[in-house]
């Protein structure tokens, strides 16, 4: 084994989080770490609304292969500790029986009421412990980034007040992908307005038991439980990896809307679940098509196997099972990226947005029709950010950005360039 191979890591480890409500074993966050153990810079990444650390396997491997002085750390938010992923450690057939047979541990909101207090403050305090761990006492520079909602959280980290220390002072740069604050999502048809009365009602509902949301499952049509969509995607990914050309094990068990007329292989079924021609734009890739025999034919910027490897697990998986309503409330309340009566009511410490003085990278696919870039420009103009590096590729989907191959992926290419040319910060 060469020295370069010995220095390479791809591990999943836990970082102790902030002490918050709930059992002691939940006071931690999982981190997928990829790259050269001696790297001088770490890119810490957060996924989208339902995005778990596994989303960034391909991103991390590709970026660190292109830059030997980089590590990529992908963060699982603490709520992923609530997911029963144990069944995915068995064979695909055993996992199918475990989950579809109803043998896994389902989180009862009434017994997880402590998570009603896991809002943006807890998330960012957890994240700060990851950032400080990545910096290794100042020996490494840290760039914080995220996709979609993860991009919002990265910017809010920069503006957050950590007991008198601004979040941006921990960082050498910020990297925002298809998300952000202000009007970043309006081009995708998502505009946010939250009157105080509505926020108070939302908060009361959370404290009365609406701890988790089921948005992803119900939007995709894959079930009513918060974890339903994640289960189907992860099971389909496992079968697609272990027996891609075999007849689909899940085809007759999926909800009716997802069934295929005629034969379909395991890879074909998973491909259809993530196909840009079939799935919601937020969850789809351009990876090929089903042929007349129900087999998957690769094509496009993303390889289906790359997506399957991200989802299959067991840990990390690609989707968070239990997205927290309190985090979503806080994110909507903080969308104006400044302190308001509403942010003060919710305890959101956004004191430093105008003071951010580190470079900002932003990338947009076709999802937001340019509003990601407009919002990044507005943040830059209202702060001390010295430089905005803005790039686009409207031919890529929201998910192609993290899964597409290097040669077809302007996001990975330009992010690599941004990281390589980032000025070193004085300690």
């Amino acid at each position: 084994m060469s020295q370069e191979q010995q220095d390479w890591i791809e591990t999943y480890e836990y970082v102790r989080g902030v002490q918050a409500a709930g059992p002691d074993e939940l006071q931690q966050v999982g981190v997928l770490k990829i790259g050269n153990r001696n790297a001088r810079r770490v890119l810490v990444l957060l996924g989208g609304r339902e995005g778990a650390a596994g989303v960034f396997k391909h991103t991390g491997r590709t970026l660190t292969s292109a830059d030997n002085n980089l590590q990529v750390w992908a963060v699982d938010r603490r709520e992923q500790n609530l997911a029963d992923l144990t069944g995915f450690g068995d064979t695909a057939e055993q996992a199918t029986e475990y989950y579809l047979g109803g043998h896994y541990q389902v989180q009862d909101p009434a017994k997880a009421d402590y998570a009603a207090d896991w809002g943006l403050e807890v998330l960012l305090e957890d994240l700060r412990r990851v950032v400080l761990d990545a910096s290794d006492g100042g020996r490494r520079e840290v760039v914080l980034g995220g996709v979609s909602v993860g991009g919002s959280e990265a910017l809010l980290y920069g503006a957050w007040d950590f007991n008198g220390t601004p979040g941006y002072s921990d960082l050498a740069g910020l990297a925002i992908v298809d998300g952000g604050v202000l009007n970043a999502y309006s081009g995708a048809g998502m505009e946010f307005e939250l009157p105080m009365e509505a926020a108070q009602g939302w908060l009361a509902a959370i404290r009365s038991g609406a701890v988790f949301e089921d948005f992803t499952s119900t939007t995709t049509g894959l079930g009513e439980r918060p974890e339903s969509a994640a289960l189907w995607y992860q099971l389909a990914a496992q079968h697609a990896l272990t027996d891609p050309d075999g007849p689909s094990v899940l085809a007759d068990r999926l909800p009716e809307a997802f069934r295929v007329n005629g034969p379909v292989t395991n890879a074909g079924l998973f491909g259809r679940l993530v196909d840009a021609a079939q799935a919601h734009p937020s969850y789809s890739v351009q990876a090929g098509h089903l042929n007349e025999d129900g087999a998957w034919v690769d094509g496009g910027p993303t390889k289906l196997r790359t997506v399957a490897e991200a989802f299959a697990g067991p840990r990390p998986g690609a989707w968070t099972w239990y997205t927290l309503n309190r985090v979503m409330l806080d994110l909507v309340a903080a969308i104006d990226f400044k302190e308001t009566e509403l942010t003060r009511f919710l305890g959101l410490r956004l004191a430093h947005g105008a003071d951010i003085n580190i470079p900002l990278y932003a990338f947009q696919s076709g999802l937001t029709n340019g509003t990601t870039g407009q919002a990044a420009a507005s943040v830059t103009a209202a702060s001390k950010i010295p430089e905005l590096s803005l790039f686009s590729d409207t031919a890529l989907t929201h998910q192609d950005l993290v899964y597409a191959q290097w040669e077809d992926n302007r996001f990975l290419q330009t992010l690599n360039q941004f990281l390589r040319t980032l000025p070193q910060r004085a300690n």
Side-chain angles (χ1 to χ4, degrees):
M1 181 182 294
S2 68
Q3 185 62 48
E4 183 175 330
Q5 290 173 317
Q6 290 177 351
D7 289 339
W8 181 270
I9 61 168
E10 182 166 331
T11 61
Y12 186 79
E13 304 173 18
Y14 287 95
V15 173
R16 183 75 180 180
V18 66
Q19 187 66 38
D24 186 67
E25 63 269 19
L26 302 180
Q27 312 296 325
Q28 60 183 358
V29 290
V31 183
L32 174 64
K33 302 179 181 181
I34 301 174
N36 179 359
R37 68 176 71 251
N38 301 313
R40 295 190 300 248
R41 181 167 286 151
V42 180
L43 172 64
V44 176
L45 290 173
L46 289 160
R49 184 181 197 133
E50 71 292 319
V55 165
F56 296 111
K57 279 185 180 179
H58 175 69
T59 301
R61 290 168 181 172
T62 305
L63 286 173
T64 55
S65 294
D67 184 353
N68 196 46
N69 281 319
L70 178 70
Q71 282 186 36
V72 172
W73 289 21
V75 180
D76 265 339
R77 301 171 181 89
R78 69 163 52 202
E79 51 267 33
Q80 189 68 334
N81 293 319
L82 299 172
D84 177 6
L85 299 176
T86 56
F88 293 111
D90 296 323
T91 67
E93 290 75 14
Q94 289 171 318
T96 299
E97 174 55 30
Y98 182 70
Y99 292 105
L100 298 189
H103 305 298
Y104 71 97
Q105 180 180 340
V106 177
Q107 287 296 329
D108 179 356
K111 296 179 180 178
D113 56 347
Y114 49 81
D117 294 322
W118 291 359
L120 190 59
E121 179 180 14
V122 172
L123 188 155
L124 295 182
E125 290 285 356
D126 282 347
L127 184 56
R128 187 160 197 249
R129 284 150 178 79
V130 175
V131 167
L132 295 178
D133 194 40
S135 75
D136 192 23
R139 285 179 285 274
R140 292 187 295 226
E141 290 190 335
V142 180
V143 176
L144 179 62
V147 173
S148 193
V149 164
S152 306
E153 292 163 352
L155 279 173
L156 293 167
Y157 182 102
W160 199 262
D161 183 84
F162 293 97
N163 297 318
T165 300
Y168 69 83
S169 67
D170 298 332
L171 307 172
L174 287 160
I176 310 306
V177 187
D178 257 9
V181 293
L182 303 175
N183 67 328
Y185 303 98
S186 61
M190 294 178 282
E191 298 197 31
F192 303 100
E193 185 178 351
L194 186 63
M196 176 64 77
E197 185 177 354
Q200 291 171 333
W202 193 348
L203 184 61
I206 293 169
R207 290 176 172 169
S208 297
V211 178
F212 310 124
E213 66 163 34
D214 57 12
F215 177 86
T216 302
S217 293
T218 56
T219 300
T220 57
L222 285 167
E224 302 299 323
R225 293 186 182 276
E227 72 275 13
S228 295
L231 283 175
W232 283 114
Y233 273 75
Q234 194 156 351
L235 287 170
Q238 277 206 326
H239 285 288
L241 279 181
T242 57
D243 186 16
D245 299 322
S248 174
V249 174
L250 302 174
D252 295 333
R253 303 181 73 171
L254 274 165
E256 189 70 33
F258 290 87
R259 296 184 185 178
V260 179
N261 292 325
V264 64
T265 66
N266 286 312
L269 185 72
F270 181 66
R272 190 172 186 278
L273 281 177
V274 300
D275 181 22
Q278 303 285 341
H280 186 284
S282 293
Y283 314 120
S284 64
V285 295
Q286 300 171 96
H289 65 275
L290 277 176
N291 68 14
E292 59 185 14
D293 297 321
W296 189 256
V297 179
D298 277 328
T302 294
K303 302 296 184 186
L304 186 66
R305 184 176 180 85
T306 300
V307 189
E309 286 175 345
F311 275 90
R315 193 181 292 275
W319 271 11
T320 302
W321 278 29
Y322 298 103
T323 299
L324 299 175
N325 252 322
R326 179 56 198 268
V327 171
M328 300 314 300
L329 166 60
D330 289 349
L331 287 172
V332 174
I335 199 73
D336 290 336
F337 203 51
K338 62 182 180 182
E339 291 189 311
T340 64
E341 180 186 9
L342 182 55
T343 62
R344 286 188 286 270
F345 166 70
L346 293 169
L348 311 181
R349 304 193 299 273
L350 302 178
H352 303 293
D355 302 320
I356 297 174
N357 64 359
I358 54 178
L360 173 63
Y361 166 95
F363 196 97
Q364 53 192 353
S365 71
L367 180 68
T368 62
N369 294 297
T371 54
T372 290
Q374 293 169 16
S378 296
V379 168
T380 301
S383 69
K384 298 176 183 177
I385 291 172
E387 181 181 1
L388 168 63
S389 300
L390 174 62
F391 301 92
S392 305
D393 189 341
T394 58
L396 295 176
T397 71
H398 190 56
Q399 294 296 321
D400 280 332
L401 297 180
V402 293
Y403 294 124
Q405 301 304 295
W406 171 270
E407 59 271 18
D408 297 313
N409 196 328
R410 191 160 188 253
F411 160 59
L412 292 179
Q413 294 168 11
T414 56
L415 181 55
N416 169 62
Q417 180 186 18
F418 172 78
L419 294 170
R420 281 181 174 274
T421 59
L422 203 58
Q424 275 199 315
R425 298 196 84 190
N427 292 330

